[in-house]
Amino acid sequence: MSNPTDSSSNSSTVLPHLLVVHDFLGLDNPSLFLPAASAMSSTTSKALDAAKSTTQTAKSSLRTMSEETGATTSSLLHHPYTRAALPFLNGGLAGMTATTVIQPIDMIKVRLQLAGEGVKTGPKPTPISVTREIIAQGKVGDLYTGLSAGLLRQAVYTTARIGIFDTFMNLLKTRAESNGTQIGFKERSAAGLSAGGLAAMVGNPADLALIRMQSDGLKPAAERAHYRSVVDALSRIAKAEGITALWAGSYPTVVRAMALNFGQLAFFSEAKTQLQTRTQWSKQTQTLSASAVAGFFASFFSLPFDFVKTRLQKQSKGKDGSLPYKGMADCFRKVAKEEGLLRFYRGFGTYYIRIAPHA
């Protein structure tokens, strides 16, 4: 407990010192502090102004950098080379995405086309029976056999097909605008046929590898190649049969691609144009309807050639060194004679479901 006497003694001791400091600093004369206060206020004001100026400069710099970045991105996207490459890139990515989804359907389609080869009568396979057979022989993942080849095919074939078609259409559009006319059905058809034929030649090796990988399971176990990937398939086929074997069935592949593109691209463009003119449907409904129409005609025109292409690309030399089919015309003749004309349209529904997403 403190002593009051001690507190009084301390106060009397400190007070004189405080008075001395008070008098020394001139606290009784405030005017002495005005210059210092004014100087301090001016310094503070300048510091604040400098800080505000720095902040505004930083914001301006960030805004300028953002605008320059946006301008650079916009300039890159609108660069002639970029604009020329975009249709190819978009087409390839869209085709690869669709292939990933519909690969099991393509697998079933190929097995339907190869079933009952050379036999006119007998049990008629269905998509369900083929699916059950594939799963029973292996596993569900076998439905995705050949996916790597399918992706490569889309990366090459669809990228080139859609890119070339868009390039041709842009040229036709420019010419039509200069002549004061509009692009007609004939021009769209010519662009579709040309784009399909040129792209098919480039993509034939990947297409052949896809058929070989999907049909490998139909062979006796001892004769199966068991391809590990599309690269393995292409290298082994080229080594065993020669590099030119990678273009086996290229003729029906080209004709099939031209027929497919005639149906897909030409009929899609025409159907969409007619729907935009004659209906008040939403853009999404018009696009889906045009795709359905294009998918039907693409399937109708191309399926016979797709059937022959599959048979030719799957075939291999027998023990006597000969092939079952000598070419496209021979395949058409033998299938029509031994299996009937309707065999060319076997699996139309499955083929239509496979084609429609690409339309």
Side-chain angles (χ1 to χ4, degrees):
M1 186 171 182
S2 62
N3 192 339
T5 306
D6 295 339
S7 297
S8 177
S9 176
N10 290 337
S11 297
S12 61
T13 304
V14 174
L15 183 58
H17 294 286
L18 292 175
L19 292 173
V20 172
V21 175
H22 180 275
D23 293 338
F24 177 78
L25 294 176
L27 295 176
D28 288 337
N29 188 4
S31 62
L32 294 176
F33 289 92
L34 291 177
S38 177
M40 184 180 296
S41 176
S42 177
T43 303
T44 304
S45 177
K46 289 180 179 179
L48 290 173
D49 291 340
K52 290 181 180 179
S53 177
T54 302
T55 303
Q56 291 177 354
T57 302
K59 288 182 178 179
S60 178
S61 299
L62 290 174
R63 189 181 302 109
T64 302
M65 291 174 62
S66 177
E67 291 174 354
E68 289 178 352
T69 302
T72 302
T73 303
S74 177
S75 176
L76 180 62
L77 291 175
H78 288 83
H79 193 279
Y81 293 117
T82 304
R83 293 179 65 86
L86 281 177
F88 293 84
L89 295 175
N90 291 337
L93 291 174
M96 293 173 73
T97 302
T99 292
T100 303
V101 176
I102 65 172
Q103 180 67 17
I105 299 174
D106 188 69
M107 176 71 170
I108 295 169
K109 184 269 298 183
V110 170
R111 291 294 180 89
L112 284 171
Q113 291 176 333
L114 296 176
E117 187 173 3
V119 180
K120 189 171 185 178
T121 59
K124 296 181 180 180
T126 65
I128 295 177
S129 66
V130 170
T131 303
R132 288 176 176 173
E133 183 181 355
I134 294 173
I135 295 175
Q137 292 179 351
K139 52 187 178 181
V140 177
D142 289 346
L143 292 170
Y144 276 91
T145 298
L147 178 60
S148 60
L151 292 174
L152 177 62
R153 179 181 179 276
Q154 293 299 331
V156 177
Y157 169 71
T158 304
T159 298
R161 177 176 68 92
I162 296 181
I164 294 173
F165 178 77
D166 284 350
T167 301
F168 286 167
M169 288 298 294
N170 289 333
L171 293 174
L172 291 172
K173 183 179 180 180
T174 301
R175 189 179 69 175
E177 289 177 350
S178 63
N179 295 333
T181 59
Q182 293 184 347
I183 300 175
F185 182 74
K186 292 190 296 183
E187 287 81 2
R188 292 191 185 94
S189 300
L193 291 170
S194 301
L198 292 173
M201 285 300 296
V202 179
N204 196 82
D207 204 352
L208 182 136
L210 175 63
I211 298 300
R212 291 290 182 92
M213 294 175 75
Q214 290 177 326
S215 63
D216 194 48
L218 294 174
K219 298 178 180 179
E223 299 179 10
R224 294 177 185 176
H226 299 290
Y227 300 113
R228 295 188 299 273
S229 66
V230 62
V231 176
D232 180 50
L234 290 173
S235 60
R236 288 168 62 182
I237 293 170
K239 184 177 180 180
E241 305 175 35
I243 193 70
T244 56
L246 297 177
W247 273 268
S250 59
Y251 187 37
T253 300
V254 170
V255 178
R256 175 249 189 199
M258 295 176 71
L260 184 67
N261 279 270
F262 176 74
Q264 276 187 335
L265 302 177
F267 276 91
F268 176 80
S269 297
E270 186 67 21
K272 192 170 184 179
T273 300
Q274 294 297 330
L275 289 172
Q276 289 174 343
T277 303
R278 301 173 183 272
T279 69
Q280 299 298 323
W281 297 347
S282 66
K283 290 185 178 181
Q284 183 178 9
T285 302
Q286 290 176 350
T287 301
L288 292 175
S289 300
S291 295
V293 173
F296 174 83
F297 282 102
S299 301
F300 178 79
F301 288 123
S302 67
L303 183 54
F305 299 103
D306 184 84
F307 181 94
V308 172
K309 173 192 76 70
T310 299
R311 290 286 180 93
L312 291 177
Q313 291 179 335
K314 173 260 179 184
Q315 69 176 349
S316 57
K317 293 181 179 180
K319 295 180 179 179
D320 58 353
S322 62
L323 293 170
Y325 308 108
K326 298 178 181 179
M328 185 175 73
D330 184 53
C331 184
F332 266 113
R333 182 180 61 80
K334 287 184 177 179
V335 171
K337 181 180 179 181
E338 298 173 1
E339 305 174 40
L341 291 173
L342 293 179
R343 184 61 60 89
F344 294 111
Y345 281 96
R346 171 180 280 181
F348 179 86
T350 305
Y351 187 67
Y352 174 75
I353 294 174
R354 177 194 178 280
I355 293 298
H358 293 285

